[in-house]
């Protein structure tokens, strides 16, 4: 039973079939193929607006290049201290922006609030050459703690960011899970509430490996083609990347897959909460369950072959774990995990 990550799951059969179907004859290389053109149309339909879409191979590339497009090298980027860009990307955002500074902010639920961004901003003197200049806020949706920003929360952050001349970036590695939870439209979750640039992730939700940088304003996309090529992210056989994204959006598969993952996470949290030695750490809104477990319970689960990660629990010494579900998690795995936990 593997609850370590949604990346641990394979690719959905529909994705593999779409790749196979695209593997028919020749196609124009470097993103000039029909699937990449279809992707932009498909995303314009899904997001109900004009979009400028640049598929890439990893979420790290999507985040780092999206930020580099809207932040100068002397800029400051405000993000949560647990954000993937700050903790898991080996300095790629700093590297690709040419040295912009990440300013990390703490909160218990993984989300930023306008108040804390405002307090952090007070430490940066605008126009002073001695200070990095506030340039962007980056939020993660669903957050790295599995919680989701409500559209009004995104709107409040974007209003603040824009009033200070900053851009709002969204790391949407799990945007599908957030939208499935919120029940809002993709437009309400992004550009309508002020998101300027989105890193959209499909890999964790059914794809084999497909991410995209999505601009909602043509101005921000200017020259981006050079940036992606220089970063080694312009795949020559782009059709295989683009077709995965097209397939996920068609027939709303992305939401169906995310709904499955979310439903199983909710089920897992509800049942795990009844087991002795378990405290669910915060509300389960997407496909991650964070829980405090006793040492004995952690040992028992590992001994029964359950894979999951331990998280940094902070100062109180308790052990926090993350259990993740995916589009492919079998319902039976929840039952088996609860049996293992119950001894
Ligand atoms: C919040 C978040 N953003 C982005 C990524 C994508 O990273 P990559 O595809 O480079 O592993 C991940 C993957 O774990 C993630 O959790």
């Amino acid at each position: 039973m593997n609850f370590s990550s949604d990346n641990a799951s394979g690719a959905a059969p529909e994705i593999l079939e779409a790749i196979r179907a695209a593997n028919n004859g020749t196609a124009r290389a470097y993103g000039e193929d029909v699937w990449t053109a279809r992707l932009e149309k498909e995303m314009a339909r899904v997001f109900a607006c004009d979009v400028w879409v640049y598929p890439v191979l990893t979420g790290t590339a999507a985040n780092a290049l999206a930020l580099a497009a809207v932040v100068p090298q002397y800029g400051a980027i405000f993000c949560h201290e647990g954000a993937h860009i700050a903790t898991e990307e080996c300095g790629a955002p700093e590297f690709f922006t040419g040295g912009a500074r990440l300013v990390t902010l703490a909160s218990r639920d993984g989300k930023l609030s306008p108040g804390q961004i405002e307090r952090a901003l007070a430490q940066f003197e605008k126009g002073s050459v001695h200070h990095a200049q506030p340039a962007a806020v980056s939020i993660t949706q669903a957050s790295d703690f599995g919680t989701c920003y409500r559209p009004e929360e995104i709107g409040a952050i974007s209003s603040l960011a824009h009033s200070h001349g900053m851009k709002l970036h969204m790391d949407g590695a799990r945007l599908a899970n957030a939208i499935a939870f919120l029940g809002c439209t993709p437009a309400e979750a992004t550009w309508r509430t002020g998101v300027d640039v989105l890193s959209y992730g499909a890999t964790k939700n059914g794809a084999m490996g497909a991410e995209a940088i999505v601009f909602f304003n043509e101005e921000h996309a200017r020259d981006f083609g050079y940036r992606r090529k220089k970063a080694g992210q312009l795949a020559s056989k782009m059709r295989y990347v683009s077709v995965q994204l097209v397939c996920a959006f068609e027939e709303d598969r992305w939401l169906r897959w995310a709904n499955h993952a979310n439903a199983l996470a909710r089920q897992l949290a509800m049942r795990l909460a009844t087991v002795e030695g378990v405290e669910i750490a915060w509300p389960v809104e997407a496909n991650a369950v964070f829980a405090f477990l006793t040492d004995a319970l952690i040992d028992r689960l590992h001994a029964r072959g359950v894979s999951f990660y331990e998280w940094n629990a902070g100062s109180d010494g308790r052990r926090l774990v993350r259990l993740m579900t995916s589009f492919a998690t079998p319902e039976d795995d929840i039952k088996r995990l609860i049996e293992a936990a119950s001894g």
Side-chain angles (χ1 to χ4, degrees):
M1 283 167 281
N2 195 330
F3 290 90
S4 63
S5 169
D6 35 12
N7 275 331
S9 295
E14 292 94 327
I15 294 280
L16 294 180
E17 176 51 29
I19 293 172
R20 196 204 55 74
N23 189 36
N24 188 12
T26 61
R28 295 189 67 178
Y30 297 107
E32 296 193 359
D33 57 89
V34 293
W35 293 272
T36 305
R38 240 167 79 194
L39 172 61
E40 201 155 272
K41 284 210 182 83
E42 192 58 20
M43 289 194 84
R45 176 188 71 78
V46 168
F47 285 85
C49 67
D50 286 340
V51 285
W52 290 263
V53 180
Y54 294 81
V56 291
L57 300 167
T58 69
T60 297
N63 283 337
L65 293 176
L67 287 166
V70 295
V71 170
Q73 59 187 4
Y74 51 82
I77 300 164
F78 298 85
C79 64
H80 193 271
E81 66 177 2
H84 201 263
I85 58 168
T87 60
E88 304 279 341
E89 299 191 351
C90 196
E94 293 92 327
F95 179 76
F96 283 101
T97 54
R101 178 169 160 207
L102 293 188
V103 182
T104 58
L105 307 172
S107 74
R108 193 173 139 68
D109 64 356
K111 298 197 284 185
L112 299 180
S113 70
Q116 75 180 148
I117 298 168
E118 201 145 29
R119 284 191 295 282
L121 277 168
Q123 288 158 29
F124 290 81
E125 197 182 318
K126 211 152 184 208
S128 162
V129 292
H130 304 288
H131 290 181
Q133 294 296 291
V137 176
S138 178
I139 57 175
T140 309
Q141 179 77 316
S143 82
D144 298 83
F145 292 4
T147 50
C148 297
Y149 289 92
R150 309 306 188 257
E152 55 276 18
E153 292 176 314
I154 301 172
I157 291 174
S158 74
S159 297
L160 175 74
H162 293 157
S163 73
H164 286 269
M166 298 191 288
K167 300 290 187 285
L168 181 60
H169 165 251
M170 177 179 278
D171 176 350
R174 298 187 181 87
L175 180 60
N177 302 89
I179 291 177
F181 168 73
L182 295 166
C184 67
T185 65
E188 282 160 349
T190 56
W191 63 273
R192 259 198 202 128
T193 39
V195 174
D196 296 294
V197 55
L198 164 71
S199 304
Y200 180 75
T203 309
K204 296 178 193 315
N205 187 35
M208 179 185 280
E211 314 278 314
I213 296 128
V214 183
F215 294 101
F216 297 108
N217 175 336
E218 188 173 15
E219 182 60 22
H220 298 144
R222 203 153 42 91
D223 297 341
F224 192 77
Y226 302 107
R227 209 180 272 288
R228 178 178 59 171
K229 175 71 182 180
K230 186 158 177 160
Q233 287 290 322
L234 178 62
S236 54
K237 296 190 182 179
M238 188 67 88
R239 63 170 137 161
Y240 298 111
V241 182
S242 299
V243 75
Q244 296 178 58
L245 288 152
V246 171
C247 170
F249 286 120
E250 276 175 355
E251 299 178 21
D252 285 339
R253 292 184 185 101
W254 64 310
L255 294 177
R256 185 152 47 81
W257 292 334
N259 264 314
H260 173 86
N262 290 3
L264 289 203
R266 272 197 305 277
Q267 211 186 103
L268 170 59
M270 257 166 49
R271 297 179 67 180
L272 199 58
T274 65
V275 174
E276 203 180 322
V278 174
E279 185 196 330
I280 303 298
W282 43 79
V284 173
E285 298 184 339
N287 61 327
V289 177
F290 283 83
F292 293 103
L293 304 189
T294 58
D295 293 350
L297 187 48
I298 289 177
D299 291 346
R300 184 155 70 233
L301 289 173
H302 283 318
R304 302 278 171 95
V306 184
S307 303
F308 55 91
Y309 285 122
E310 254 190 77
W311 233 243
N312 180 1
S315 54
D316 68 0
R318 290 190 297 167
R319 290 172 77 182
L320 180 65
V321 305
R322 184 190 78 170
L323 298 155
M324 293 214 74
T325 56
S326 82
F327 71 97
T329 303
E331 221 167 315
D332 201 45
D333 274 10
I334 308 294
K335 190 168 138 250
R336 289 169 59 217
L337 182 140
I338 298 300
E339 279 165 9
S342 308

